[in-house]
Amino acid sequence: MKNFRDIEQLSAYLDGQLSPSDSARLESRISSDPEIASAFNDIRAARSILRKLPPRKAPRNFTLTRQMVGLKPPLPRSYSFFRFSTAFATILLMLTFAANLILPNLFFGMGAAAPAPAAAQDAYGMGEGSGPALFAMPAAATEAPAATEAPAMAMEIAPTETPPMAMEAAPMATLPATVTNADLVPTADPLLLEEPMAKEAATAPESPAQPQGGAERQALIPVTWQIGLLSIGVISLLIMLALRHSARQKWK
Amino acid sequence: MDEIALVQSAQNGDLDSFNTLVLHYQDRVFNTALRILGDEDLAQDAAQEAFISAFRSVSSFRGGSFKAWLLRTVTNACYDELRRQKRKPTTPLEPDTEDGEEMDSPRWLADPNMTPAQQSEADELEHAIQHCLDALPVDFRAVVVLADVQGMDYSEVAIAAHVPLGTIKSRLARARLRLRECLRGFEELLPSSFRLEGESNS
């Protein structure tokens, strides 16, 4: 047995991987050294046997299907538009619900004073300045019974219009009790409230839509908008699904 | 077959073009897997895995020999399969034959030096050669299968086996040496033109 370097040289020589000079040197050794020649013949025979190994035919086709490689059907360009509109409409719809739920509470919670001056301004027909607020604030703060009186008065005058008025008066009753400084209540006369309420009550029958307007004022986003967004979302979703289904059918 | 055009189409996601390549190379890929793994079912699995893997990574093919690149994929799939078997040997010690009878001498229980009874079972040259291939370390086996069974040149084998050219030369020489020793046990099976001359000279 020759050393491994010789075996490697013989193997490379068989495959034509030696340089011409190395090949010539090895050929002379093979012809002169019987041991090298024997090893050479052995390697050559082993190589020939392997090369004559009968090739086996593949027992089946290995062609790939789209499912195998996880390919998805090509979708039309409009698909991405409808996908976007579905998502956009859904997000907007959720935002409208959130807005209607949170914002009214936020307004009532933060600025309970705001409705009161507004009511006072409406009542007195003076929309500017802080004067009405000064009148209204103490009235609401110190005359807590007004909350209970107001509905009663309203019911006397115009029973059908009590809910809006009651709703307006109720926040007033919840004003902080800390605003009880006597200096701020020189004009806290129930008549001041009585008069505007009476005015409101008197005008109520002439404009029957007003109470509904008051209810809508609490829902910042109208329901019709929400229905519209819902319709857009559902229609876009259906079109999107139809496009995907037809693309898959074509692909098959 | 315009191989370059088909490869380019496959790189653009055209599965039909890739399947044309599959049909062209599937015998070669299956044979490589069969000679490395020594089991037809495992070879089928490895070949299928190799083609799936090849399609997914065909965009990384940067030219050169597509055959060598493909056989590298199948060689890797075979290595994975062998590693999996090593981690989770699922072969029962006394397996049944297809008829439900207990197999007396399963191939995987045989040592490299076959007993006379086993030798009589391996009465075909192909089985004898496969037996000798199975006795080789897997790295040597892959190189000798690619070079001698598939007839690839050294540079292609280096790509397919993902080892340097010098390592290919060394592994191939060692593998041939070991095969020569192993095949001496099957002298009577060999055609006269392939008889190993070392034995007659010694």
Side-chain angles (χ1 to χ4, degrees), chain B residues 137-159:
Chain B
V138 66
D139 290 339
F140 290 13
R141 198 187 317 161
V143 168
V144 83
V145 165
L146 292 167
D148 287 343
V149 178
Q150 295 297 336
M152 297 168 78
D153 63 36
Y154 280 27
S155 59
E156 284 182 320
V157 177
I159 293 169

Side-chain angles (χ1 to χ4, degrees), chain A residues 97-216:
Chain A
F97 279 122
N100 283 347
L101 276 175
I102 296 168
L103 291 182
N105 292 338
L106 208 62
F107 284 150
F108 282 118
M110 279 173 56
Q121 285 165 8
D122 287 347
Y124 283 103
M126 306 188 300
E128 292 176 8
S130 57
L134 283 173
F135 284 106
M137 282 280 289
T142 57
E143 300 291 328
T148 54
E149 285 174 15
M153 287 187 294
M155 282 180 74
E156 282 174 17
I157 300 163
T160 55
E161 298 306 315
T162 46
M165 292 182 66
M167 288 178 75
E168 284 177 13
M172 288 160 63
T174 58
L175 276 174
T178 53
V179 191
T180 54
N181 194 336
D183 294 336
L184 292 175
V185 293
T187 57
D189 191 339
L191 290 173
L192 286 174
L193 284 174
E194 208 171 312
E195 190 179 338
M197 284 180 183
K199 280 184 182 176
E200 264 187 37
T203 54
E206 292 170 9
S207 55
Q210 201 174 345
Q212 291 166 6
E216 280 177 7

Side-chain angles (χ1 to χ4, degrees), chain A residues 11 15 42 56 58 61 64, chain B residues 19 26 31 154 176 180 198:
Chain A
S11 176
D15 296 324
D42 282 352
R56 289 273 204 95
N61 280 341
L64 306 179
Chain B
N19 277 336
Q26 63 182 4
N31 266 286
Y154 280 27
R176 284 169 175 167
R180 182 193 67 170

Side-chain angles (χ1 to χ4, degrees), chain A residues 12-176:
Chain A
Y13 171 70
L14 268 174
D15 296 324
Q17 295 292 320
L18 290 184
S19 64
S21 59
D22 286 343
S23 295
R25 206 176 301 127
L26 194 62
E27 280 168 11
S28 68
R29 284 188 66 194
I30 290 170
S31 57
S32 62
D33 187 340
E35 207 173 344
I36 287 279
S38 171
F40 175 68
N41 287 331
D42 282 352
I43 292 172
R44 186 171 59 183
R47 179 174 172 270
S48 300
I49 290 166
L50 286 173
R51 294 207 165 194
K52 291 290 178 186
L53 200 59
R56 289 273 204 95
K57 200 164 171 56
R60 63 180 173 88
N61 280 341
F62 294 107
T63 47
L64 306 179
T65 62
R66 292 178 176 94
Q67 285 77 19
M68 276 179 181
V69 292
L71 277 181
K72 290 176 182 171
L75 296 165
R77 283 183 183 176
S78 54
Y79 180 83
S80 56
F81 168 77
F82 286 111
R83 187 171 58 181
F84 173 77
S85 64
T86 305
F88 192 66
T90 307
I91 291 168
L92 276 184
L93 188 62
M94 289 170 74
L95 284 176
T96 60
F97 279 122
N100 283 347
L101 276 175
I102 296 168
L103 291 182
N105 292 338
L106 208 62
F107 284 150
F108 282 118
M110 279 173 56
Q121 285 165 8
D122 287 347
Y124 283 103
M126 306 188 300
E128 292 176 8
S130 57
L134 283 173
F135 284 106
M137 282 280 289
T142 57
E143 300 291 328
T148 54
E149 285 174 15
M153 287 187 294
M155 282 180 74
E156 282 174 17
I157 300 163
T160 55
E161 298 306 315
T162 46
M165 292 182 66
M167 288 178 75
E168 284 177 13
M172 288 160 63
T174 58
L175 276 174

Side-chain angles (χ1 to χ4, degrees), chain B residues 134-200:
Chain B
D134 290 347
L136 291 174
V138 66
D139 290 339
F140 290 13
R141 198 187 317 161
V143 168
V144 83
V145 165
L146 292 167
D148 287 343
V149 178
Q150 295 297 336
M152 297 168 78
D153 63 36
Y154 280 27
S155 59
E156 284 182 320
V157 177
I159 293 169
H162 199 40
V163 287
L165 214 60
T167 310
I168 296 296
K169 283 183 186 175
S170 167
R171 285 185 183 174
L172 197 52
R174 287 178 190 275
R176 284 169 175 167
L177 201 63
R178 292 193 188 196
L179 279 170
R180 182 193 67 170
E181 296 301 323
C182 179
L183 287 169
R184 281 189 198 284
F186 301 97
E187 194 72 21
E188 70 280 4
L189 296 174
L190 302 176
S192 57
S193 56
F194 298 123
R195 292 279 161 86
L196 298 170
E197 294 182 13
E199 183 125 326
S200 58

